[in-house]
mmCIF file of all heavy atoms in Angstrom:
data_model
loop_
_atom_site.group_PDB
_atom_site.id
_atom_site.type_symbol
_atom_site.label_atom_id
_atom_site.label_comp_id
_atom_site.label_asym_id
_atom_site.label_seq_id
_atom_site.Cartn_x
_atom_site.Cartn_y
_atom_site.Cartn_z
ATOM 1 N N ASN A 277 14.289 10.675 14.992
ATOM 2 C CA ASN A 277 13.549 10.883 16.239
ATOM 3 C C ASN A 277 13.064 9.584 16.870
ATOM 4 O O ASN A 277 12.453 9.604 17.929
ATOM 5 C CB ASN A 277 12.370 11.815 15.978
ATOM 6 C CG ASN A 277 12.846 13.134 15.407
ATOM 7 O OD1 ASN A 277 13.783 13.727 15.927
ATOM 8 N ND2 ASN A 277 12.237 13.578 14.308
ATOM 9 N N LYS A 278 13.320 8.469 16.180
ATOM 10 C CA LYS A 278 12.957 7.162 16.735
ATOM 11 C C LYS A 278 11.503 7.133 17.229
ATOM 12 O O LYS A 278 11.249 7.171 18.449
ATOM 13 C CB LYS A 278 13.884 6.775 17.899
ATOM 14 C CG LYS A 278 15.348 7.173 17.730
ATOM 15 C CD LYS A 278 16.027 6.423 16.603
ATOM 16 C CE LYS A 278 17.511 6.786 16.511
ATOM 17 N NZ LYS A 278 18.065 6.448 15.189
ATOM 18 N N ALA A 296 1.225 -21.484 21.565
ATOM 19 C CA ALA A 296 2.344 -21.141 22.436
ATOM 20 C C ALA A 296 2.189 -19.791 23.140
ATOM 21 O O ALA A 296 2.717 -19.586 24.226
ATOM 22 C CB ALA A 296 3.630 -21.143 21.608
ATOM 23 N N PHE A 301 -1.775 -13.127 24.187
ATOM 24 C CA PHE A 301 -2.723 -12.412 23.325
ATOM 25 C C PHE A 301 -3.698 -11.623 24.187
ATOM 26 O O PHE A 301 -4.087 -12.060 25.269
ATOM 27 C CB PHE A 301 -3.497 -13.401 22.438
ATOM 28 C CG PHE A 301 -2.624 -14.129 21.452
ATOM 29 C CD1 PHE A 301 -2.564 -15.529 21.452
ATOM 30 C CD2 PHE A 301 -1.869 -13.431 20.525
ATOM 31 C CE1 PHE A 301 -1.754 -16.199 20.548
ATOM 32 C CE2 PHE A 301 -1.054 -14.100 19.614
ATOM 33 C CZ PHE A 301 -0.995 -15.492 19.629
ATOM 34 N N GLY A 317 -16.634 -10.900 6.712
ATOM 35 C CA GLY A 317 -17.095 -10.009 7.771
ATOM 36 C C GLY A 317 -16.319 -10.230 9.062
ATOM 37 O O GLY A 317 -15.960 -9.278 9.770
ATOM 38 N N GLU A 324 -10.815 -4.475 12.786
ATOM 39 C CA GLU A 324 -11.408 -3.283 13.395
ATOM 40 C C GLU A 324 -11.287 -3.339 14.925
ATOM 41 O O GLU A 324 -11.012 -2.335 15.585
ATOM 42 C CB GLU A 324 -12.885 -3.268 12.987
ATOM 43 C CG GLU A 324 -13.539 -1.931 12.967
ATOM 44 C CD GLU A 324 -15.004 -2.075 12.586
ATOM 45 O OE1 GLU A 324 -15.309 -2.724 11.555
ATOM 46 O OE2 GLU A 324 -15.848 -1.562 13.345
ATOM 47 N N ALA A 346 -2.930 0.284 6.780
ATOM 48 C CA ALA A 346 -3.350 -1.110 6.911
ATOM 49 C C ALA A 346 -3.442 -1.796 5.564
ATOM 50 O O ALA A 346 -3.582 -1.159 4.520
ATOM 51 C CB ALA A 346 -4.697 -1.192 7.626
ATOM 52 N N GLN A 352 -8.319 -6.851 -3.159
ATOM 53 C CA GLN A 352 -8.615 -5.422 -2.987
ATOM 54 C C GLN A 352 -8.652 -5.000 -1.507
ATOM 55 O O GLN A 352 -9.339 -4.039 -1.145
ATOM 56 C CB GLN A 352 -9.906 -5.025 -3.701
ATOM 57 C CG GLN A 352 -9.831 -5.032 -5.211
ATOM 58 C CD GLN A 352 -9.807 -6.442 -5.801
ATOM 59 O OE1 GLN A 352 -10.645 -7.258 -5.470
ATOM 60 N NE2 GLN A 352 -8.848 -6.710 -6.654
ATOM 61 N N TYR A 371 -0.491 -3.090 0.189
ATOM 62 C CA TYR A 371 -0.515 -4.534 -0.017
ATOM 63 C C TYR A 371 0.898 -5.070 -0.003
ATOM 64 O O TYR A 371 1.737 -4.683 -0.821
ATOM 65 C CB TYR A 371 -1.209 -4.954 -1.324
ATOM 66 C CG TYR A 371 -1.291 -6.454 -1.355
ATOM 67 C CD1 TYR A 371 -2.290 -7.111 -0.650
ATOM 68 C CD2 TYR A 371 -0.316 -7.223 -1.974
ATOM 69 C CE1 TYR A 371 -2.332 -8.488 -0.587
ATOM 70 C CE2 TYR A 371 -0.350 -8.604 -1.915
ATOM 71 C CZ TYR A 371 -1.361 -9.233 -1.221
ATOM 72 O OH TYR A 371 -1.395 -10.595 -1.134
ATOM 73 N N ALA A 399 -1.875 -1.638 11.152
ATOM 74 C CA ALA A 399 -2.594 -2.879 11.474
ATOM 75 C C ALA A 399 -2.707 -3.812 10.291
ATOM 76 O O ALA A 399 -2.670 -3.401 9.134
ATOM 77 C CB ALA A 399 -3.992 -2.535 11.983
ATOM 78 N N PHE A 404 -8.225 -17.711 8.750
ATOM 79 C CA PHE A 404 -8.062 -19.007 8.098
ATOM 80 C C PHE A 404 -9.128 -19.242 7.032
ATOM 81 O O PHE A 404 -8.833 -19.667 5.908
ATOM 82 C CB PHE A 404 -8.125 -20.124 9.153
ATOM 83 C CG PHE A 404 -8.023 -21.499 8.566
ATOM 84 C CD1 PHE A 404 -6.784 -22.037 8.267
ATOM 85 C CD2 PHE A 404 -9.160 -22.242 8.294
ATOM 86 C CE1 PHE A 404 -6.689 -23.307 7.702
ATOM 87 C CE2 PHE A 404 -9.067 -23.506 7.730
ATOM 88 C CZ PHE A 404 -7.829 -24.041 7.428
ATOM 89 N N ARG A 412 -6.581 -21.148 -2.021
ATOM 90 C CA ARG A 412 -6.387 -22.574 -2.289
ATOM 91 C C ARG A 412 -7.710 -23.242 -2.665
ATOM 92 O O ARG A 412 -8.132 -23.162 -3.802
ATOM 93 C CB ARG A 412 -5.690 -23.222 -1.091
ATOM 94 C CG ARG A 412 -4.278 -22.650 -0.930
ATOM 95 C CD ARG A 412 -3.441 -23.278 0.151
ATOM 96 N NE ARG A 412 -2.207 -22.514 0.285
ATOM 97 C CZ ARG A 412 -2.026 -21.488 1.139
ATOM 98 N NH1 ARG A 412 -2.986 -21.168 1.998
ATOM 99 N NH2 ARG A 412 -0.895 -20.823 1.165
ATOM 100 N N VAL A 436 0.130 1.385 17.681
ATOM 101 C CA VAL A 436 -0.024 2.829 17.492
ATOM 102 C C VAL A 436 1.358 3.469 17.629
ATOM 103 O O VAL A 436 2.040 3.302 18.639
ATOM 104 C CB VAL A 436 -1.023 3.443 18.499
ATOM 105 C CG1 VAL A 436 -1.081 4.960 18.343
ATOM 106 C CG2 VAL A 436 -2.406 2.833 18.288
ATOM 107 N N ASP A 459 12.689 -13.921 -6.051
ATOM 108 C CA ASP A 459 11.966 -15.094 -6.547
ATOM 109 C C ASP A 459 12.972 -16.166 -6.925
ATOM 110 O O ASP A 459 13.767 -15.980 -7.839
ATOM 111 C CB ASP A 459 11.131 -14.672 -7.764
ATOM 112 C CG ASP A 459 10.128 -15.739 -8.176
ATOM 113 O OD1 ASP A 459 10.371 -16.927 -7.876
ATOM 114 O OD2 ASP A 459 9.118 -15.376 -8.794
ATOM 115 N N ASN A 467 3.960 -24.238 -0.433
ATOM 116 C CA ASN A 467 5.263 -24.148 0.223
ATOM 117 C C ASN A 467 5.715 -22.692 0.316
ATOM 118 O O ASN A 467 6.678 -22.266 -0.306
ATOM 119 C CB ASN A 467 6.280 -24.986 -0.547
ATOM 120 C CG ASN A 467 7.543 -25.232 0.268
ATOM 121 O OD1 ASN A 467 7.723 -24.625 1.336
ATOM 122 N ND2 ASN A 467 8.403 -26.093 -0.218
ATOM 123 N N SER A 479 16.701 -8.979 2.795
ATOM 124 C CA SER A 479 16.457 -7.825 3.665
ATOM 125 C C SER A 479 17.347 -7.848 4.903
ATOM 126 O O SER A 479 17.832 -6.801 5.342
ATOM 127 C CB SER A 479 14.976 -7.772 4.066
ATOM 128 O OG SER A 479 14.186 -7.635 2.903
ATOM 129 N N VAL A 481 20.342 -9.430 5.246
ATOM 130 C CA VAL A 481 21.733 -9.184 4.846
ATOM 131 C C VAL A 481 21.926 -7.706 4.502
ATOM 132 O O VAL A 481 22.920 -7.083 4.907
ATOM 133 C CB VAL A 481 22.140 -10.098 3.664
ATOM 134 C CG1 VAL A 481 23.474 -9.653 3.056
ATOM 135 C CG2 VAL A 481 22.221 -11.548 4.116
ATOM 136 N N ILE A 497 16.294 -11.759 16.205
ATOM 137 C CA ILE A 497 15.969 -11.529 14.797
ATOM 138 C C ILE A 497 14.714 -12.356 14.554
ATOM 139 O O ILE A 497 14.726 -13.583 14.713
ATOM 140 C CB ILE A 497 17.129 -11.968 13.877
ATOM 141 C CG1 ILE A 497 18.361 -11.105 14.180
ATOM 142 C CG2 ILE A 497 16.726 -11.862 12.411
ATOM 143 C CD1 ILE A 497 19.654 -11.736 13.735
ATOM 144 N N ILE A 532 3.929 -20.024 16.671
ATOM 145 C CA ILE A 532 2.590 -19.638 17.137
ATOM 146 C C ILE A 532 1.726 -20.825 17.573
ATOM 147 O O ILE A 532 0.944 -20.718 18.510
ATOM 148 C CB ILE A 532 1.874 -18.753 16.085
ATOM 149 C CG1 ILE A 532 0.593 -18.145 16.660
ATOM 150 C CG2 ILE A 532 1.626 -19.502 14.783
ATOM 151 C CD1 ILE A 532 -0.028 -17.041 15.793
ATOM 152 N N LEU A 578 1.984 -13.895 -4.417
ATOM 153 C CA LEU A 578 1.222 -14.593 -5.461
ATOM 154 C C LEU A 578 -0.239 -14.152 -5.458
ATOM 155 O O LEU A 578 -0.726 -13.564 -4.508
ATOM 156 C CB LEU A 578 1.276 -16.099 -5.229
ATOM 157 C CG LEU A 578 0.366 -16.693 -4.134
ATOM 158 C CD1 LEU A 578 0.253 -18.174 -4.290
ATOM 159 C CD2 LEU A 578 0.838 -16.289 -2.744
#
Side-chain angles (χ1 to χ4, degrees):
Chain A
N277 302 312
K278 322 293 183 200
F301 295 122
E324 205 182 309
Q352 290 73 51
Y371 186 81
F404 178 83
R412 295 184 187 92
V436 176
D459 192 335
N467 195 350
S479 299
V481 168
I497 297 159
I532 190 168
L578 78 164

